[in-house]
Amino acid sequence: MRTMPATAATPDALAAQFAGVRALSTALVAPLSDADATLQSMDDASPAKWHLAHTTWFFETFVLRDHVPTYRLFDERWPFLFNSYYEAEGQRHARSRRGMLSRPTLDEVQAYRAAVDKAIVEAMPMLPAEALTLIALGCQHEQQHQELLLTDILHHFSVNPLEPAMWPGAAKVPVAMPGPIGWIEGAAGQVSAGIDMPEDLAGFAFDCETPRHPTLLPPHALADRTVTNGEWAAFIAAGGYADPRHWLSDGWAWVQANRITAPLYWQQVDGVWTRFGLDGRRPIDPAAPVTHVSFFEADAYASWAGARLPTEFEWEAAAAGADPRSGNQLDAAGPVEPRPSTGGPAWFGDVWEWTGSAYRPYPGFRTAEGAVGEYNGKFMSGQFVLRGGSCATPRGHVRASYRNFFYPHQRWQFTGVRLAKDL
Amino acid sequence: MRTMPATAATPDALAAQFAGVRALSTALVAPLSDADATLQSMDDASPAKWHLAHTTWFFETFVLRDHVPTYRLFDERWPFLFNSYYEAEGQRHARSRRGMLSRPTLDEVQAYRAAVDKAIVEAMPMLPAEALTLIALGCQHEQQHQELLLTDILHHFSVNPLEPAMWPGAAKVPVAMPGPIGWIEGAAGQVSAGIDMPEDLAGFAFDCETPRHPTLLPPHALADRTVTNGEWAAFIAAGGYADPRHWLSDGWAWVQANRITAPLYWQQVDGVWTRFGLDGRRPIDPAAPVTHVSFFEADAYASWAGARLPTEFEWEAAAAGADPRSGNQLDAAGPVEPRPSTGGPAWFGDVWEWTGSAYRPYPGFRTAEGAVGEYNGKFMSGQFVLRGGSCATPRGHVRASYRNFFYPHQRWQFTGVRLAKDL
Amino acid sequence: MRTMPATAATPDALAAQFAGVRALSTALVAPLSDADATLQSMDDASPAKWHLAHTTWFFETFVLRDHVPTYRLFDERWPFLFNSYYEAEGQRHARSRRGMLSRPTLDEVQAYRAAVDKAIVEAMPMLPAEALTLIALGCQHEQQHQELLLTDILHHFSVNPLEPAMWPGAAKVPVAMPGPIGWIEGAAGQVSAGIDMPEDLAGFAFDCETPRHPTLLPPHALADRTVTNGEWAAFIAAGGYADPRHWLSDGWAWVQANRITAPLYWQQVDGVWTRFGLDGRRPIDPAAPVTHVSFFEADAYASWAGARLPTEFEWEAAAAGADPRSGNQLDAAGPVEPRPSTGGPAWFGDVWEWTGSAYRPYPGFRTAEGAVGEYNGKFMSGQFVLRGGSCATPRGHVRASYRNFFYPHQRWQFTGVRLAKDL
Amino acid sequence: MRTMPATAATPDALAAQFAGVRALSTALVAPLSDADATLQSMDDASPAKWHLAHTTWFFETFVLRDHVPTYRLFDERWPFLFNSYYEAEGQRHARSRRGMLSRPTLDEVQAYRAAVDKAIVEAMPMLPAEALTLIALGCQHEQQHQELLLTDILHHFSVNPLEPAMWPGAAKVPVAMPGPIGWIEGAAGQVSAGIDMPEDLAGFAFDCETPRHPTLLPPHALADRTVTNGEWAAFIAAGGYADPRHWLSDGWAWVQANRITAPLYWQQVDGVWTRFGLDGRRPIDPAAPVTHVSFFEADAYASWAGARLPTEFEWEAAAAGADPRSGNQLDAAGPVEPRPSTGGPAWFGDVWEWTGSAYRPYPGFRTAEGAVGEYNGKFMSGQFVLRGGSCATPRGHVRASYRNFFYPHQRWQFTGVRLAKDL
């Protein structure tokens, strides 16, 4: 997880939020067998079972163990298995070995979830404010893992030659191809970005979004939509992956070493570009936003298109007035994927948008104390900021100041591209 | 698999053998969940599910597909998944990715087994002799995989910190510690080794055991039992793993690179040596044969003990008169492990015995034609011969001329050590 | 190289600059044998011979080949050997194989240098302005390689157990230990940073320094000197390398994987910390600036000290009024190393100072066209900016707006640490 | 080195042998610069300078240090640098870092050689028999390194795109293409192989050749010459490198992983096969023996040709009557390479012939005690025996019982192929 203390809503609202978040996780894994939920196809991804248990471990450890004196651990051996990178919480099972945990079984993990849920609900009336805050944090934490659970299972399934579908595909509604990109002129000059840590129960932010602080924007414009699959296919056809002039040096090395020629999950079948998704393999939809591209690819595309990526502050200023609950985000179990745009500029949902901003601390940023807050600052090297949430982000989780971050070669998330240019 | 054409017993005996072998595989995996059966902890080992399907693929391909014109494949996509290294049979799923096959499920694989079994039994009365021979070969092939299935699942479970037990352990019967090794003088001079390919239905051999040919033995003696856990603990205590003088150069590099300090699955817990087995973690039995040691360790131990390993021909000459169905071999599902010796010299069962013989062809050896026989000759570089079968070898599978082979660093099989010396 | 077109001084001044730069390279390698000059101890570093030839290739290619029609290449096979990462100039010899070039010999490379120098001097009166600009650029390029030549040879020599000294050490003048760090309050609010590309002959800048643009600085203070060896030894003694709380996640992984426990070239000999330098191995000088530390180490030290690293703009604003030719920089051949501070705040020389700023383009940055300008933008991922030059930077090369950059784990340059804090 | 104690000739003969061997090493490196002599292109190969120093270290250590009380080491730091794998002699410089030793210089190493030579010559009249034996052993040791020096420098030069020639090529005398292979029937039944350790001054053997012992040969025939470059080109043209049926499993993996399509140093230039040799790159001579092929290639060729490799005992029996000083072996500095056959069957010289025999101890083999004899037995896993010497083997070094050995993928030695078949 990547968090720090935060305030939460009213106790009743918190209880409802807790119930809703926990139920969604269970709904998401309904199509998975125990074996499906045990798979780990690469070190970056974790088994579904692990996500279910790790998010539960968070509540058990930081709420029940620390704030409910009578609580007894569900299984004393499990914290070693389901701690992630909380160094302060001690030793943990090697990340690359998570896929070896056929035991505990999925049923046992679900029983763990039920037991912890019950204990939390029972304890909630007696918990101090600090513990309630931790429950709110745990909900945010679990929402992050819900997105990872979906992107991870997609990856696990992708390496099985049978390419199983998690859910049947929805019927596609034909949509008119989007027209050329329009440019939205952004504010220039001094604007505020980030958020101050909310102090009442109605707000939430991760530490890396704080503090709110002034930034300077140059004269610029942002595209009114993200790049589509159809546009990306044109980039491929134009030799974009074979021309080093468009690529960062590290990106070119990555392309060469991994023989990258298309977005992750794309394959050309009988001359037609297809993609693998949670509903199996299907032809790409040329009108839909391209996804599963790395920062390196996003940057190269922008260079090829004579544009650049937006900075995270340009993006935040543009999205500041939009409804963060709008757009194609995750509401319930079922196939999710980016969908063609059907209206005006959309800032939230569909795909995380790579920005040109390295993930670094804001002026005045402070790392929180203790294990729960241990984690955002320590990732601040080598990664780039993404903004806006995706089709796999639980609705309600993201906001204009929200900073996601990944290494420039990673692309198993629902990541896409919006262009920007100087004016 | 590692085989070539062979003859088989009478049709009735063959049907009984087929039924028995197939049933044992099913019995062995009874304690495993779908997730357990999907695990792959290292490239050398395969998932239990894969063993079940691969052995079935053998019958489906070489018997049903090739000899039953009306047969339709159970699933056309599966041969790609469950072919192993039969190059002649075309492309196959990467070995290192076998652990990603949560689909097909264990139930689907069992249905595959049932369907193929039914088709074989129905077809058997009409099959030509050549196909019956392939059924006999398939039974031998499946027996090899039964042993691998057990050693592989042991390895898969060993990397789970919970160290699950496959079966509850049997009660240990206290046994008197064996006395010092006795030496059995072997025949010197010209003796025959190997076997000629049987031509009637009552025999079987793998191609690498052929042809029978003369060999010369020097004056020598073999130990009357294998090295025990207690003796191995003394080797450790004497610094055997830290003294390069006892080790082959490649072995010393392996020890250093992998920080080897004890047999695989050994751990010192509160000053007591324990081992992990199919019944979980328990203290070592000092009277039982040491197992899970590599050739490098076996050779170093022999050097430390002032002895050497036997050649495969010395071993074969000594074992020629013993009953190959005797000793601690696999009869049924349940925990298996090497057991203390309770009588005179035993040549079969308990542990495969590393010999000092590189695995190379016998004079006059010929590789068989076609896919089924493709395989023994191609492994004849870099490996060493083991003799005698183990506690995990299905009773009836092994014989005095049987040559097993592994690389000198491998030790996840039930491998042990018998000493030899020049006279 | 990392450059783009630039203007240069008057023709006479340019000729003098060219002569001076070229002569310094020759002087620097005077103590090296042909074999010394052939060594390559790691992929990041290049042989001295290669530096001599590559800088010459630059003049030969972009000035003589492109602007002197009668010029014939010194050797047609050498451009393949001595091109570096100019993709537009075609194939090139693998970087990791540069240490295999015992041929051409050092004498042959010196003859190459002499021939190209002669051709340049003869051609200079007839060259168009564009070519003169390229000569100026080539001088800056060669100055960058002079610094690399020194840091690379130091690394090459460091892996020889004999630890050869390049030059005898200078007699050390005892210096009073510096007192505690003083804090200099920096300007807050909007300040300009960067530089516009000079258009007359008197200026020079690399493209990544452009354009000059407004930035916002928070209230802050910078230390009045860099961290010393003595202070670093205290960090080590306090367990700084063993406490994950101070380290970025990637940094901690680097420390663990490489067993980092001290700056590069430090060794504890009989309880005394020593360092290897161009004058061999000697005890560290506790009063001198620490050097050969990575960004990860710099960041961890700052965290341990309750401070942070400065941003590149905070640094630039503070250094804007200082003389960039001041401080301990490279003037001539001879041992160079950071020296204890002897006066007020020094911004230039001694050690490159890691900043907390990721190396990314300034607003409005444009990549120049063509091979010569191909290169700064493409390195703008994953690296951090360093400021101020070092004891190995040729005097006159650096300026307040100068941006050096390396990956956060690299530390074979003369890199050091200045602390900053929020006010 | 790979040796054990041995006897030597008369003192005068020994002095002459010592002088001759030492002089040849010096002559061989005459064309090399200090930088050439410092190169190390792969871990398997060592710098020429290192060979010169290591062979000298042998004499200094085991003769002078151990037997001449007044002797003082030439440089106390050098034994660490120039010990090779004599574990008993203590720590040593990492093999993969030998190419970093620009210091000591080639001149300093030559001075070391001269000083040790002088000390040996002066001491020889007073030395005990044991020390004289060690001098004889040191001569054999140095001869082994003379061959490695040549094959190593060939490899070092091969990775320089300029492909320097060590010596100018000799004028090629046109030779008639050899006719088809003729088959020489070998003795069948019991024959003796190996050699007993000579006890007088006139003999020499390495421990791995001992003891002389009976072996059994099957009815067989050997080719009357080795395979030629022309025949190998036909193998390539027939798709030999692309058909897995001919390859050992490990060999096929090696071919695939390293994209092997021809012998080492072969390149197709404008449709013509060329090879790189000590006289530079030239077209292959179709009549000359193929060389620089691995065991894997040799075995695959034999399979493709419907034959097999000889065993080491078949080879030894056939060569037993031939003059081991005959054939194309190393006499003096100058380009060496395999030459077309001009007469009857030649068993010695031209190319080392891969046998199908794994390198394992003979019955009754004993490892000698102490550091000097530490070494042959420890290499007895994973390697194959080669017989007969090559064009780079100093004449007088090899004999019918001589066993050379390399891993099956190695091919930078002058290695070739003779076919065998069963009768």
Side-chain angles (χ1 to χ4, degrees), chain B residues 200-385:
Chain B
D200 62 40
L201 288 171
F204 182 86
F206 288 112
D207 61 349
C208 64
E209 303 169 52
T210 68
R212 189 156 176 83
H213 65 287
T215 64
L216 278 181
L217 302 187
H220 71 281
L222 301 188
D224 61 354
R225 60 168 174 78
T226 54
V227 174
T228 62
N229 287 319
E231 288 165 336
W232 203 271
F235 172 61
I236 297 174
Y241 281 91
D243 186 344
R245 289 175 307 159
H246 301 311
W247 293 80
L248 286 161
S249 181
D250 288 347
W252 185 244
W254 171 79
V255 161
Q256 304 270 92
N258 298 285
R259 306 183 187 206
I260 305 290
T261 57
L264 186 64
Y265 305 137
W266 282 36
Q267 271 180 26
Q268 219 164 4
V269 179
D270 300 331
V272 175
W273 280 114
T274 65
R275 105 290 183 255
F276 180 64
L278 289 165
D279 56 354
R281 181 161 297 285
R282 293 162 184 272
I284 61 166
D285 178 346
V290 71
T291 190
H292 299 304
V293 293
S294 68
F295 172 84
F296 291 136
E297 289 166 286
D299 187 81
Y301 181 91
S303 168
W304 173 79
R308 61 168 173 86
L309 299 179
T311 67
E312 62 172 320
F313 301 124
E314 291 167 348
W315 191 97
E316 185 170 335
D323 176 4
R325 301 184 65 94
S326 63
N328 177 18
Q329 299 189 50
L330 180 69
D331 292 304
V336 298
E337 72 172 322
R339 290 198 299 257
S341 168
T342 55
W347 300 99
F348 294 97
D350 274 324
V351 291
W352 286 100
E353 302 178 20
W354 284 109
T355 73
S357 298
Y359 180 57
R360 291 290 299 156
Y362 287 168
F365 170 77
R366 287 199 198 295
T367 298
E369 293 292 322
V372 179
E374 167 181 352
Y375 291 103
N376 265 315
K378 70 195 270 192
F379 294 110
M380 290 179 173
S381 67
Q383 310 204 42
F384 282 86
V385 174

Side-chain angles (χ1 to χ4, degrees), chain B residues 139-221:
Chain B
C139 289
Q140 300 287 335
H141 173 232
E142 184 145 348
Q143 288 182 313
Q144 292 181 312
H145 279 276
Q146 286 166 346
E147 178 153 11
L148 291 171
L149 190 156
L150 289 176
T151 53
D152 289 357
I153 195 71
L154 178 59
H155 195 272
H156 305 322
F157 278 175
S158 77
V159 300
N160 184 333
L162 303 182
E163 297 196 318
M166 179 105 165
W167 289 289
K172 302 286 180 191
V173 179
V175 172
M177 282 295 293
I181 281 175
W183 293 97
I184 306 171
E185 187 171 339
Q190 188 165 324
V191 300
S192 288
I195 188 169
D196 287 321
M197 189 57 68
E199 299 197 4
D200 62 40
L201 288 171
F204 182 86
F206 288 112
D207 61 349
C208 64
E209 303 169 52
T210 68
R212 189 156 176 83
H213 65 287
T215 64
L216 278 181
L217 302 187
H220 71 281

Side-chain angles (χ1 to χ4, degrees), chain B residues 378-400:
Chain B
K378 70 195 270 192
F379 294 110
M380 290 179 173
S381 67
Q383 310 204 42
F384 282 86
V385 174
L386 303 102
R387 295 294 194 122
S390 81
C391 55
T393 308
R395 194 178 307 279
H397 180 69
V398 83
R399 70 201 76 84

Side-chain angles (χ1 to χ4, degrees), chain A residues 103-412:
Chain A
R103 318 285 181 92
T105 67
L106 183 52
D107 284 348
E108 288 168 334
V109 168
Q110 295 286 28
Y112 178 39
R113 289 183 65 85
V116 166
D117 285 357
K118 183 160 175 291
I120 291 276
V121 169
E122 288 174 1
M124 215 182 278
M126 284 80 78
L127 288 173
E130 179 190 355
L132 295 180
T133 297
L134 286 163
I135 292 175
L137 178 57
C139 290
Q140 300 286 335
H141 173 231
E142 183 146 348
Q143 288 183 313
Q144 293 180 311
H145 279 277
Q146 286 166 346
E147 178 153 9
L148 291 171
L149 189 156
L150 290 175
T151 53
D152 289 358
I153 196 72
L154 179 59
H155 195 272
H156 306 322
F157 278 175
S158 77
V159 300
N160 184 333
L162 303 181
E163 297 197 318
M166 178 105 165
W167 289 289
K172 301 287 181 191
V173 180
V175 171
M177 282 296 292
I181 281 174
W183 293 97
I184 305 170
E185 187 171 341
Q190 189 165 326
V191 299
S192 288
I195 188 170
D196 287 321
M197 189 57 68
E199 298 197 6
D200 61 41
L201 289 172
F204 182 86
F206 288 112
D207 61 349
C208 63
E209 303 169 53
T210 67
R212 189 156 176 84
H213 65 287
T215 65
L216 277 181
L217 303 186
H220 70 282
L222 302 189
D224 61 355
R225 60 168 175 78
T226 54
V227 173
T228 63
N229 287 320
E231 289 164 335
W232 203 271
F235 171 62
I236 296 173
Y241 281 91
D243 186 345
R245 291 176 305 159
H246 302 312
W247 294 80
L248 287 161
S249 181
D250 289 346
W252 185 243
W254 172 80
V255 161
Q256 303 270 93
N258 298 283
R259 307 186 186 202
I260 305 290
T261 59
L264 186 63
Y265 304 137
W266 282 36
Q267 271 180 26
Q268 218 163 5
V269 178
D270 301 331
V272 175
W273 280 115
T274 65
R275 104 290 183 258
F276 179 64
L278 289 165
D279 56 354
R281 180 160 298 284
R282 293 163 183 272
I284 61 166
D285 178 345
V290 71
T291 190
H292 299 305
V293 293
S294 68
F295 172 85
F296 291 136
E297 290 166 285
D299 187 81
Y301 180 91
S303 168
W304 173 78
R308 61 170 172 83
L309 300 178
T311 66
E312 62 172 319
F313 301 125
E314 291 167 348
W315 190 96
E316 184 170 335
D323 177 4
R325 301 183 66 95
S326 63
N328 177 19
Q329 299 187 50
L330 179 69
D331 292 304
V336 298
E337 71 172 322
R339 289 198 298 258
S341 167
T342 55
W347 299 100
F348 293 97
D350 275 324
V351 292
W352 286 100
E353 302 178 19
W354 284 110
T355 73
S357 298
Y359 180 57
R360 291 291 297 155
Y362 287 167
F365 169 78
R366 284 196 201 298
T367 298
E369 293 292 322
V372 179
E374 169 182 348
Y375 292 102
N376 265 314
K378 71 194 271 191
F379 295 110
M380 290 179 173
S381 68
Q383 310 204 41
F384 282 87
V385 174
L386 302 102
R387 294 293 194 123
S390 81
C391 54
T393 309
R395 195 178 306 279
H397 180 68
V398 83
R399 68 200 77 84
S401 62
Y402 196 102
R403 307 173 83 193
N404 199 353
F405 49 92
F406 282 94
Y407 288 99
H409 69 280
Q410 291 176 317
R411 55 183 195 158
W412 90 106

Side-chain angles (χ1 to χ4, degrees), chain D residues 266-285:
Chain D
W266 281 37
Q267 271 180 28
Q268 217 164 6
V269 178
D270 301 330
V272 174
W273 280 115
T274 65
R275 106 289 185 254
F276 179 65
L278 289 165
D279 57 353
R281 180 161 297 285
R282 292 164 184 272
I284 60 166
D285 179 345

Side-chain angles (χ1 to χ4, degrees), chain D residues 274-350:
Chain D
T274 65
R275 106 289 185 254
F276 179 65
L278 289 165
D279 57 353
R281 180 161 297 285
R282 292 164 184 272
I284 60 166
D285 179 345
V290 71
T291 190
H292 299 306
V293 292
S294 67
F295 172 84
F296 291 136
E297 290 166 285
D299 187 80
Y301 181 90
S303 168
W304 173 78
R308 62 170 173 83
L309 300 179
T311 66
E312 62 171 321
F313 300 125
E314 290 166 348
W315 190 97
E316 185 170 337
D323 176 4
R325 302 183 65 94
S326 63
N328 177 18
Q329 299 188 50
L330 179 70
D331 292 304
V336 298
E337 72 172 320
R339 289 198 299 257
S341 167
T342 55
W347 300 99
F348 294 97
D350 275 323

Side-chain angles (χ1 to χ4, degrees), chain C residues 161, chain D residues 40 80 92-99:
Chain D
Q40 184 184 32
F80 176 80
R92 56 198 189 285
H93 189 226
R95 183 178 186 103
S96 61
R97 284 303 204 180
R98 288 179 185 163

